Amino acid sequence: MSSSRARSSSKATEPASGVDLWQKIKEAAEPAAEDSLEKTCLFVGNKQTGKSTLIASFLNPAKAEEAQKPTVAMDYVYGRRAGAGGGSKRDIAHLFELGGGRLLSDLADVPINRDTVLNSIVIITVDLSQPSTVLSSLLFWISRARRSVDAALLDAQRKDSLALSRFRQQFESRWANHADRSSLTLFPIPLVVVATKFDLFADTEAETRKWMARTLRYVCHSNGASLLYSSNRDKTLLTNFRTLLNHYVFQTAALKQDQKDHAKAIAIVASADTFEAIGPPPASGRGPANAGANNLEAWVTPFNRHFGAVDERGEEIDPFVEEIAKHPEPLVDSMRAQKDEELERYRRESERRERLEGTADGPVSSSGSTSLSTTVRSSSPLSRSSPTPQDTGAAPRKRSSSSSTRTSARPAAS
């Protein structure tokens, strides 16, 4: 009895023995913080393809239909949600949007680096309302993003080769038994392709929708990517996107919808498609067995023939120039316009001189005086006067012959 009374007395006095309750709380919270997930999502694509809208709809579905401001360079936001284990743990999604289109594509190297690449997802947007740009845009951004990811993985291997090996084994496990595995060139990390503005494309001809869907399915399947059609005016399609991104970022349930009918909005998760289901390229006359990943040109050529090929390399405008144009400065702008005009005039004159000199090089004399004269002139493109005998080292008689050759050629060049 006395011993039990002593133990009771000891328990009763424990709280007053100087135990730091806050320290216990802190120690209990630290393991949860270590287990929290952090994912990096990089949104890339041409300008005005709906990247900002997708991000807004992911963070707050109520803002999906609101007009978004154009992104200059790169924008960053983040989202948090309670971890799967509950408690104080919070999983975080770092969302980077690359603005400016192809002009600033090198900024993709910023969020994708050796510290983040193993926990990153790339989202590429293409605009269905401009079908002629869809394929060239998609192929460019897949190639550009792959370059960033490959460089980051190389650095990650130097840092922790074991972690990289575990990541690759886990990432490729879903493809281990896929029928097309040997024909695929898998993107190194999760890749999602979102074809936006489906509402503006849905009413096109059935044949057009079919070849758009089949071509996109082929490219996405070849790279191991998920493919979704989306529209900020369709809540179901936006929900599909949020479900898929939540799965990659917060490890929630995967998107169960599998929609391959080109008459409807496509929704196909990675590894759910096959070359046999996609079918052969248009007018190829070959079966699905020949529609492997090394047959891209068989899809590109018919696509460009049907939708029209567009060279987008020169269509990107510097976003900083666009931003500066919103804040005019008359004196500065007038001086800039003057210098631009002088530069353009100099460029035209330089091209004209090159054409004239190229024409003069044609009837070269046996003495070689014309070739020597041309060499001296090209070393000083700003000089418009004819070279002197001292410059060329040619005798007066030969210089006269060379001059007459250039004079006779001048009208023909202009």
Side-chain angles (χ1 to χ4, degrees), residues 345-355 357 381-382:
R345 189 184 307 116
Y346 170 74
R347 185 187 64 80
R348 290 197 300 266
E349 291 178 355
S350 297
E351 292 177 352
R352 180 173 178 273
R353 282 197 299 272
E354 289 177 2
R355 289 196 301 269
E357 291 170 358
L382 294 177

mmCIF file of all heavy atoms in Angstrom, residues 345-355 357 381-382:
data_model
loop_
_atom_site.group_PDB
_atom_site.id
_atom_site.type_symbol
_atom_site.label_atom_id
_atom_site.label_comp_id
_atom_site.label_asym_id
_atom_site.label_seq_id
_atom_site.Cartn_x
_atom_site.Cartn_y
_atom_site.Cartn_z
ATOM 1 N N ARG A 345 19.025 51.640 -92.408
ATOM 2 C CA ARG A 345 19.628 52.218 -93.609
ATOM 3 C C ARG A 345 21.028 51.652 -93.838
ATOM 4 O O ARG A 345 21.407 51.313 -94.963
ATOM 5 C CB ARG A 345 19.697 53.745 -93.477
ATOM 6 C CG ARG A 345 20.118 54.453 -94.775
ATOM 7 C CD ARG A 345 20.277 55.954 -94.589
ATOM 8 N NE ARG A 345 19.085 56.529 -93.990
ATOM 9 C CZ ARG A 345 19.059 57.103 -92.787
ATOM 10 N NH1 ARG A 345 20.163 57.153 -92.063
ATOM 11 N NH2 ARG A 345 17.942 57.628 -92.318
ATOM 12 N N TYR A 346 21.797 51.532 -92.762
ATOM 13 C CA TYR A 346 23.138 50.975 -92.882
ATOM 14 C C TYR A 346 23.085 49.515 -93.337
ATOM 15 O O TYR A 346 23.894 49.068 -94.154
ATOM 16 C CB TYR A 346 23.863 51.078 -91.535
ATOM 17 C CG TYR A 346 25.166 50.308 -91.490
ATOM 18 C CD1 TYR A 346 26.300 50.779 -92.147
ATOM 19 C CD2 TYR A 346 25.255 49.101 -90.801
ATOM 20 C CE1 TYR A 346 27.476 50.066 -92.124
ATOM 21 C CE2 TYR A 346 26.428 48.387 -90.772
ATOM 22 C CZ TYR A 346 27.549 48.874 -91.434
ATOM 23 O OH TYR A 346 28.715 48.160 -91.412
ATOM 24 N N ARG A 347 22.113 48.771 -92.817
ATOM 25 C CA ARG A 347 21.985 47.376 -93.208
ATOM 26 C C ARG A 347 21.695 47.243 -94.695
ATOM 27 O O ARG A 347 22.279 46.407 -95.396
ATOM 28 C CB ARG A 347 20.884 46.701 -92.394
ATOM 29 C CG ARG A 347 20.747 45.203 -92.647
ATOM 30 C CD ARG A 347 19.532 44.626 -91.932
ATOM 31 N NE ARG A 347 18.302 45.201 -92.458
ATOM 32 C CZ ARG A 347 17.717 44.800 -93.590
ATOM 33 N NH1 ARG A 347 18.261 43.842 -94.307
ATOM 34 N NH2 ARG A 347 16.602 45.365 -94.001
ATOM 35 N N ARG A 348 20.764 48.075 -95.207
ATOM 36 C CA ARG A 348 20.443 48.020 -96.640
ATOM 37 C C ARG A 348 21.642 48.396 -97.496
ATOM 38 O O ARG A 348 21.906 47.760 -98.529
ATOM 39 C CB ARG A 348 19.259 48.940 -96.938
ATOM 40 C CG ARG A 348 17.935 48.456 -96.371
ATOM 41 C CD ARG A 348 16.780 49.182 -97.042
ATOM 42 N NE ARG A 348 16.864 50.624 -96.828
ATOM 43 C CZ ARG A 348 16.257 51.281 -95.847
ATOM 44 N NH1 ARG A 348 15.518 50.607 -94.977
ATOM 45 N NH2 ARG A 348 16.372 52.581 -95.730
ATOM 46 N N GLU A 349 22.391 49.424 -97.099
ATOM 47 C CA GLU A 349 23.563 49.839 -97.870
ATOM 48 C C GLU A 349 24.639 48.757 -97.871
ATOM 49 O O GLU A 349 25.301 48.520 -98.888
ATOM 50 C CB GLU A 349 24.121 51.148 -97.304
ATOM 51 C CG GLU A 349 23.211 52.355 -97.531
ATOM 52 C CD GLU A 349 23.764 53.627 -96.913
ATOM 53 O OE1 GLU A 349 24.812 53.525 -96.232
ATOM 54 O OE2 GLU A 349 23.153 54.693 -97.095
ATOM 55 N N SER A 350 24.809 48.107 -96.714
ATOM 56 C CA SER A 350 25.810 47.035 -96.639
ATOM 57 C C SER A 350 25.438 45.885 -97.557
ATOM 58 O O SER A 350 26.293 45.329 -98.258
ATOM 59 C CB SER A 350 25.926 46.547 -95.202
ATOM 60 O OG SER A 350 26.396 47.576 -94.361
ATOM 61 N N GLU A 351 24.165 45.506 -97.565
ATOM 62 C CA GLU A 351 23.720 44.425 -98.450
ATOM 63 C C GLU A 351 23.892 44.815 -99.909
ATOM 64 O O GLU A 351 24.275 43.986 -100.742
ATOM 65 C CB GLU A 351 22.264 44.085 -98.147
ATOM 66 C CG GLU A 351 22.052 43.440 -96.786
ATOM 67 C CD GLU A 351 20.590 43.183 -96.493
ATOM 68 O OE1 GLU A 351 19.729 43.655 -97.287
ATOM 69 O OE2 GLU A 351 20.289 42.519 -95.485
ATOM 70 N N ARG A 352 23.615 46.072 -100.244
ATOM 71 C CA ARG A 352 23.752 46.525 -101.635
ATOM 72 C C ARG A 352 25.220 46.477 -102.064
ATOM 73 O O ARG A 352 25.541 46.024 -103.163
ATOM 74 C CB ARG A 352 23.203 47.930 -101.767
ATOM 75 C CG ARG A 352 23.288 48.504 -103.187
ATOM 76 C CD ARG A 352 22.577 49.841 -103.263
ATOM 77 N NE ARG A 352 22.693 50.421 -104.598
ATOM 78 C CZ ARG A 352 23.710 51.177 -105.000
ATOM 79 N NH1 ARG A 352 24.696 51.441 -104.146
ATOM 80 N NH2 ARG A 352 23.755 51.655 -106.225
ATOM 81 N N ARG A 353 26.135 46.910 -101.176
ATOM 82 C CA ARG A 353 27.556 46.876 -101.529
ATOM 83 C C ARG A 353 28.031 45.439 -101.714
ATOM 84 O O ARG A 353 28.814 45.143 -102.612
ATOM 85 C CB ARG A 353 28.383 47.572 -100.434
ATOM 86 C CG ARG A 353 28.327 49.097 -100.499
ATOM 87 C CD ARG A 353 29.462 49.706 -99.676
ATOM 88 N NE ARG A 353 29.356 49.327 -98.256
ATOM 89 C CZ ARG A 353 28.658 50.016 -97.366
ATOM 90 N NH1 ARG A 353 27.976 51.088 -97.746
ATOM 91 N NH2 ARG A 353 28.629 49.647 -96.109
ATOM 92 N N GLU A 354 27.540 44.539 -100.867
ATOM 93 C CA GLU A 354 27.940 43.147 -101.002
ATOM 94 C C GLU A 354 27.483 42.556 -102.332
ATOM 95 O O GLU A 354 28.193 41.794 -102.971
ATOM 96 C CB GLU A 354 27.384 42.334 -99.837
ATOM 97 C CG GLU A 354 28.052 42.638 -98.512
ATOM 98 C CD GLU A 354 27.416 41.868 -97.362
ATOM 99 O OE1 GLU A 354 26.477 41.081 -97.654
ATOM 100 O OE2 GLU A 354 27.833 42.046 -96.210
ATOM 101 N N ARG A 355 26.261 42.939 -102.756
ATOM 102 C CA ARG A 355 25.772 42.433 -104.049
ATOM 103 C C ARG A 355 26.617 42.977 -105.188
ATOM 104 O O ARG A 355 26.949 42.252 -106.137
ATOM 105 C CB ARG A 355 24.301 42.818 -104.232
ATOM 106 C CG ARG A 355 23.338 42.072 -103.327
ATOM 107 C CD ARG A 355 21.909 42.203 -103.837
ATOM 108 N NE ARG A 355 21.485 43.593 -103.918
ATOM 109 C CZ ARG A 355 20.880 44.251 -102.932
ATOM 110 N NH1 ARG A 355 20.638 43.620 -101.779
ATOM 111 N NH2 ARG A 355 20.510 45.507 -103.075
ATOM 112 N N GLU A 357 29.747 44.068 -105.102
ATOM 113 C CA GLU A 357 31.089 43.490 -105.085
ATOM 114 C C GLU A 357 31.061 42.040 -105.539
ATOM 115 O O GLU A 357 31.982 41.553 -106.181
ATOM 116 C CB GLU A 357 31.681 43.611 -103.684
ATOM 117 C CG GLU A 357 31.998 45.054 -103.314
ATOM 118 C CD GLU A 357 32.348 45.207 -101.840
ATOM 119 O OE1 GLU A 357 32.301 44.180 -101.133
ATOM 120 O OE2 GLU A 357 32.652 46.330 -101.422
ATOM 121 N N PRO A 381 33.867 48.386 -94.943
ATOM 122 C CA PRO A 381 32.519 48.438 -95.505
ATOM 123 C C PRO A 381 31.879 49.808 -95.436
ATOM 124 O O PRO A 381 30.934 50.083 -96.130
ATOM 125 C CB PRO A 381 31.746 47.447 -94.624
ATOM 126 C CG PRO A 381 32.522 47.419 -93.338
ATOM 127 C CD PRO A 381 33.933 47.592 -93.730
ATOM 128 N N LEU A 382 32.409 50.723 -94.602
ATOM 129 C CA LEU A 382 31.798 52.040 -94.488
ATOM 130 C C LEU A 382 32.293 52.992 -95.566
ATOM 131 O O LEU A 382 31.710 54.043 -95.794
ATOM 132 C CB LEU A 382 32.097 52.646 -93.101
ATOM 133 C CG LEU A 382 31.461 51.916 -91.915
ATOM 134 C CD1 LEU A 382 31.899 52.574 -90.620
ATOM 135 C CD2 LEU A 382 29.958 51.927 -92.037
#
